[in-house]
Amino acid sequence: MDINKYSPKFKLGKRNLLRLADFSAEEIFELLYAAKVFKKKFKVGENSPVLRGKTIALLFGNASTRTRVSFEMGIRQLGGDYLFLPKNETQLARGESIRDTAVMLGRYGLSAIVLRAFNDAQIQEFADNSEIPVINGISDTTHPLQVLSDLFTIWEVKGRLDNLKIAYIGDGNNVANSLIIGCSKMNMDVAIASPHGYSPAQDTVDRGSQFSDVLITDSIAEAVRGADVVYTDVFISMSGEDDEVKKQKLARYRVTKEVMALAKPDAVFMHCMPVHRGEEVAAEVVDGPQSIVYDQAENRLHLNKAVLAMLVK
Ligand code: CP
């Protein structure tokens, strides 16, 4: 379906956002249209106080710049309040159970909770025991908010989503998994080039293949040929800083000027950031004219506001 032919109703109802697989194409359109409205308002200094009287907990288990700041600022701009809870300063760090934490946090008047850097099973257990919406701010295998924001950015820059091709180069990590689901639901072709042993999960590939073409290859050229969007991420994401074997295997999966030349002439370069220049991407690409990485990062603000306004009641 073409997003430009969709008429948004701006209505989704109170619910969790754990993974993109739980959202239909139309529900994703709703979030992207809402992000568009919030961005337009932001640019003229307007804000809607839709979170007035609401407090959102941000329970974070790892470092974050974009996710944390875009939520904190977005919540303030919508008239709400937030509680930043570093996981290692809660009793979770001393072995308190996910279930007890989820049940108990629901009793303090919070309206939603953003969980960051928990694994999928923990996020599911949290949601199963929570009376308030749970939003996944990154897990070991998914990064749904990042990819919703990326879809919004691609829509802005390319004017459409369907029938585009996105090529992702590098580790088949949480961002790659969510790109497969999010982009395929938007009817974009997806090509992932990863070294042997570092491809995205097969069940994710199978699920994405129900909606569009999903190519998994170890060939950068095969993935990038004819792409409208070239995307990469850091070699090491949530864990494994000392994994030298992985770093070595990924070393040639770098987006360079030569790689960008294989894509369409008007292709854009994307990266969810933080960037390691000279590792997964050459500085001249990420700092060059095809790069839209700062727009991507900015759009985390508008998309997060859309998610909170649409899903938190
Ligand atoms: N892309 C992303 O999630 O950025 P942070 O790690 O800075 O939140």
Side-chain angles (χ1 to χ4, degrees), residues 63-68 116 137-138 143 146 272-274 300:
S64 168
T65 300
R66 281 144 290 272
T67 308
R68 178 175 176 178
R116 174 156 167 116
I138 200 172
H143 200 351
Q146 177 67 53
C272 59
M273 304 181 90
R300 298 291 308 274

Side-chain angles (χ1 to χ4, degrees), residues 4-304:
N4 296 310
K5 294 192 177 135
Y6 181 77
S7 301
K9 288 134 204 98
F10 297 108
K11 232 178 174 178
L12 280 183
K14 182 176 167 179
R15 65 190 279 192
N16 298 321
L17 197 168
L18 307 186
R19 55 188 83 80
L20 295 180
D22 297 341
F23 283 71
S24 67
E26 289 80 2
E27 289 168 339
I28 293 174
F29 291 167
E30 289 287 337
L31 293 170
L32 304 191
Y33 271 101
K36 186 177 177 178
V37 171
F38 280 118
K39 184 165 186 177
K40 209 168 159 188
K41 282 177 182 273
F42 178 78
K43 294 296 173 187
V44 295
E46 267 180 42
N47 271 308
S48 323
V50 294
L51 293 183
R52 188 178 287 147
K54 294 186 166 54
T55 302
I56 315 296
L58 307 175
L59 177 51
F60 278 32
N62 73 355
S64 168
T65 300
R66 281 144 290 272
T67 308
R68 178 175 176 178
V69 176
S70 59
F71 266 116
E72 291 191 0
M73 290 307 294
I75 292 165
R76 284 184 191 185
Q77 288 162 20
L78 295 181
D81 204 352
Y82 62 83
L83 202 59
F84 183 71
L85 297 171
K87 185 181 169 189
N88 64 3
E89 292 179 23
T90 71
Q91 296 289 6
L92 281 167
R94 299 176 65 225
E96 186 165 21
S97 73
I98 294 278
R99 178 174 178 277
D100 288 351
T101 306
V103 172
M104 183 265 309
L105 284 180
R107 302 216 177 174
Y108 290 125
L110 292 165
S111 295
I113 183 154
V114 181
L115 291 185
R116 174 156 167 116
F118 287 73
N119 68 40
D120 285 332
Q122 291 171 326
I123 289 180
Q124 189 61 58
E125 187 181 359
F126 210 106
D128 290 344
N129 290 286
S130 177
E131 288 186 8
I132 55 175
V134 173
I135 296 165
N136 173 2
I138 200 172
S139 79
D140 53 341
T141 66
T142 59
H143 200 351
L145 294 173
Q146 177 67 53
V147 167
L148 287 169
S149 173
D150 295 341
L151 291 172
F152 176 53
T153 308
I154 296 167
W155 182 29
E156 277 190 322
V157 172
K158 293 288 176 189
R160 67 182 211 277
L161 289 170
D162 60 320
N163 295 313
L164 294 175
K165 176 180 176 182
I166 183 166
Y168 174 95
I169 311 303
D171 184 27
N173 62 10
N174 42 18
V175 172
N177 285 328
S178 289
L179 280 171
I180 289 173
I181 301 302
C183 293
S184 64
K185 285 196 173 195
M186 297 295 98
N187 197 30
M188 294 169 68
D189 286 343
V190 183
I192 310 279
S194 305
H196 184 68
Y198 295 95
S199 297
Q202 190 57 47
D203 61 334
T204 302
V205 176
D206 293 343
R207 190 185 287 270
S209 302
Q210 295 170 7
F211 305 106
S212 73
D213 283 349
V214 179
L215 171 75
I216 304 296
T217 175
D218 62 1
S219 162
I220 297 172
E222 188 182 16
V224 172
R225 202 169 295 124
D228 300 280
V229 178
V230 180
Y231 198 121
T232 191
D233 191 8
V234 289
F235 290 162
I236 306 292
S237 179
M238 260 178 52
S239 59
E241 273 73 13
D242 303 327
D243 191 340
E244 293 306 324
V245 174
K246 183 175 183 182
K247 286 183 195 167
Q248 260 181 17
K249 288 218 171 193
L250 282 159
R252 77 174 183 85
Y253 286 79
R254 178 177 304 135
V255 180
T256 59
K257 226 167 66 174
E258 291 72 29
V259 169
M260 288 304 294
L262 299 171
K264 284 187 181 163
D266 64 349
V268 291
F269 171 75
M270 299 181 78
H271 190 308
C272 59
M273 304 181 90
V275 173
H276 294 172
R277 287 169 173 78
E279 284 188 24
E280 72 276 4
V281 59
E284 61 185 348
V285 172
V286 69
D287 299 322
Q290 290 170 285
S291 174
I292 57 168
V293 298
Y294 297 127
D295 300 313
Q296 239 184 302
E298 177 193 331
N299 284 337
R300 298 291 308 274
L301 172 71
H302 312 302
L303 188 282
N304 288 352

